[in-house]
């Protein structure tokens, strides 16, 4: 639940702005523009990880997807700035 996410991550204003399913793991990644945060959920909805996004790179993260090589892409709105697309390479554990 959203309340569980907020209480377990310390993220105060988690407002989902994008969601994508990772093609290799099957987990879901959800970004929040308000808190500039990202969480990972299992297919069953269990919170697996959370992180804040870097302000320098992500002014307003609105979209997320994965490429054919499993890299993650996060796009940011450009309202008063240039829109950006940031690639995060997939690293196998």
């Amino acid at each position: 639940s959203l309340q569980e996410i907020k209480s377990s991550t310390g993220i105060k204003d988690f407002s989902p702005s994008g969601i994508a399913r990772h093609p290799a793991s099957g987990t879901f990644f959800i970004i929040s523009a308000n808190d500039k945060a990202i969480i990972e959920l299992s297919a069953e909805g269990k919170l697996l990880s959370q992180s804040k996004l870097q302000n320098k790179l992500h002014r307003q993260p609105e979209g997320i997807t994965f490429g054919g090589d499993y890299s993650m892409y996060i796009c940011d709105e450009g309202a008063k700035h240039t829109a950006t697309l940031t690639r995060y390479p997939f690293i196998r554990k």
Side-chain angles (χ1 to χ4, degrees), residues 29-88:
F29 288 78
I30 304 172
I31 56 173
S32 170
N34 291 355
D35 271 322
K36 296 177 179 67
I38 185 167
I39 63 170
E40 180 183 11
L41 300 175
S42 70
E44 296 77 29
K46 180 182 176 194
L47 181 64
L48 301 174
S49 64
Q50 80 275 346
S51 182
K52 294 290 256 182
L53 298 169
Q54 294 179 18
N55 281 333
K56 282 184 175 183
L57 292 176
H58 300 288
R59 290 191 175 103
Q60 188 173 346
E62 295 289 348
I64 183 170
T65 193
F66 292 93
D69 65 352
Y70 304 134
S71 291
M72 178 190 311
Y73 293 86
I74 297 176
C75 63
D76 293 84
E77 264 188 17
K80 294 181 182 179
H81 304 280
T82 303
T84 61
L85 179 64
T86 305
R87 178 181 177 264
Y88 294 91

